[in-house]
Amino acid sequence: MADQHTKIHPLKDKTENPQPTRPLVPKGSSFKSDNQGQPSSAMPSNVHVQNNPPSFPFMDLRRASKPKRSCWCRCICWTISLLILLLIILGFIVAVIYIVFQPKIPNYSVDNLRISDLRLNFDLSLYARFNVRITAYNPNKKIGIYYEKGSQLSVWYKSSKLCQGPIPKFYQGHQNRTKLDVALTGQSQYGNTLLSALQEAQQTGRIPLDLKINVPVRIELGNLKLKKVRIVGNCALIVDSLSTNSFISIKASTCKFNVKL
């Protein structure tokens, strides 16, 4: 039967007539979900859905650290606010004191200068003894000044200290002028060189000397005595001679003073 042709039948596509599958939810039950994926009340009792996302240890630590950080920030803010408030109060007090008392720095002037001794020692150091009269003036109307121990008055030639001595303790009242006689003594190294420089300057008739003042004082505001401060200053003098046992003429004097806390 050679003339018989073999018939080829095409395979049917399985997608054309899909086989019915068994539903996952039993027949007769309803299942409804909203946008958030929450199951309805009709879900079978044997189906459990976990609503809360899984928690991780590092998330718990991060949550626990937030209250500590906020507490620390509040402490810093309170501290800064307290400091600012204290500064404002202090500034207000200072402003009131300045307005009520109008404090002014006392000033000093050199009345005369006398050299009792100026000579070379055997060790070639220069011995000097000066007597200085100064006038201390308190220009304040409502402030008294207590001069304390530890004061120093010194005479310098350029960078060399010639002699020094203390200012005595005393109280200076309001708008008071007080004249002070201070004895100054001292020894300077390289006396031969220093004495030669002084004698050379004496030939010109203009010898530059510096009178430096460093005085600890207490300010009196009414019945209140404030903390100790220091009055420091410098008087640049020009004298005509360094002759001993005679008053020296002061040709020029320029003084500047300020207060150090």
Side-chain angles (χ1 to χ4, degrees):
M1 299 178 63
D3 56 349
Q4 291 183 352
H5 298 281
T6 304
K7 294 183 179 181
I8 301 174
H9 301 279
L11 296 174
K12 292 184 178 181
D13 191 359
K14 294 181 180 181
T15 59
E16 292 180 1
N17 296 317
Q19 296 295 328
T21 59
R22 185 177 180 180
L24 297 176
V25 180
K27 188 176 181 180
S29 64
S30 63
F31 183 81
K32 184 179 180 180
S33 63
D34 53 8
N35 293 333
Q36 298 178 355
Q38 297 292 338
S40 64
S41 59
M43 181 178 291
S45 60
N46 59 350
V47 179
H48 299 281
V49 179
Q50 186 176 2
N51 294 330
N52 296 328
S55 60
F56 299 96
F58 71 90
M59 295 181 65
D60 296 337
L61 292 175
R62 188 176 299 175
R63 291 176 183 174
S65 63
K66 286 183 179 179
K68 293 182 179 179
R69 290 183 180 178
S70 60
C71 182
W72 178 248
C73 292
R74 283 197 299 269
C75 290
I76 292 177
C77 293
W78 276 106
T79 303
I80 294 175
S81 301
L82 183 61
L83 289 176
I84 293 174
L85 180 61
L86 291 176
L87 290 176
I88 293 174
I89 295 174
L90 181 61
F92 178 76
I93 294 173
V94 172
V96 170
I97 292 175
Y98 184 82
I99 293 173
V100 173
F101 293 95
Q102 297 180 355
K104 298 177 182 178
I105 300 176
N107 53 58
Y108 307 88
S109 60
V110 182
D111 297 337
N112 57 62
L113 177 65
R114 181 179 179 183
I115 300 177
S116 301
D117 199 355
L118 184 65
R119 54 183 169 80
L120 283 174
N121 292 324
F122 292 107
D123 58 357
L124 297 182
S125 62
L126 181 65
Y127 176 80
R129 179 179 176 85
F130 288 18
N131 294 97
V132 182
R133 171 172 287 185
I134 63 174
T135 298
Y137 174 58
N138 177 16
N140 297 282
K141 297 180 180 180
K142 300 179 181 180
I143 297 177
I145 302 174
Y146 287 91
Y147 286 78
E148 303 286 343
K149 288 183 179 181
S151 63
Q152 187 181 78
L153 185 68
S154 56
V155 176
W156 295 66
Y157 175 72
K158 296 183 178 180
S159 59
S160 300
K161 184 193 294 186
L162 298 178
C163 51
Q164 66 181 17
I167 295 176
K169 288 181 58 178
F170 71 99
Y171 170 77
Q172 190 172 33
H174 310 156
Q175 293 184 318
N176 173 263
R177 292 180 184 272
T178 302
K179 293 185 179 295
L180 302 170
D181 291 316
V182 185
L184 312 176
T185 59
Q187 291 184 349
S188 305
Q189 293 182 347
Y190 310 105
N192 193 13
T193 303
L194 183 57
L195 183 60
S196 299
L198 290 171
Q199 290 173 348
E200 184 177 352
Q202 185 174 351
Q203 293 178 359
T204 64
R206 296 180 64 86
I207 306 168
L209 296 177
D210 289 325
L211 185 68
K212 296 184 179 182
I213 297 174
N214 191 331
V215 185
V217 298
R218 288 187 183 271
I219 306 300
E220 181 189 51
L221 302 177
N223 295 326
L224 179 63
K225 188 184 291 187
L226 300 182
K227 181 182 177 181
K228 186 185 296 185
V229 297
R230 302 189 78 87
I231 298 175
V232 296
N234 180 66
C235 289
L237 308 177
I238 300 294
V239 299
D240 63 344
S241 174
L242 293 177
S243 300
T244 58
N245 297 321
S246 62
F247 289 101
I248 298 172
S249 175
I250 300 175
K251 292 187 174 182
S253 175
T254 304
C255 298
K256 294 181 180 180
F257 303 96
N258 54 44
V259 176
K260 285 187 176 182
L261 300 179

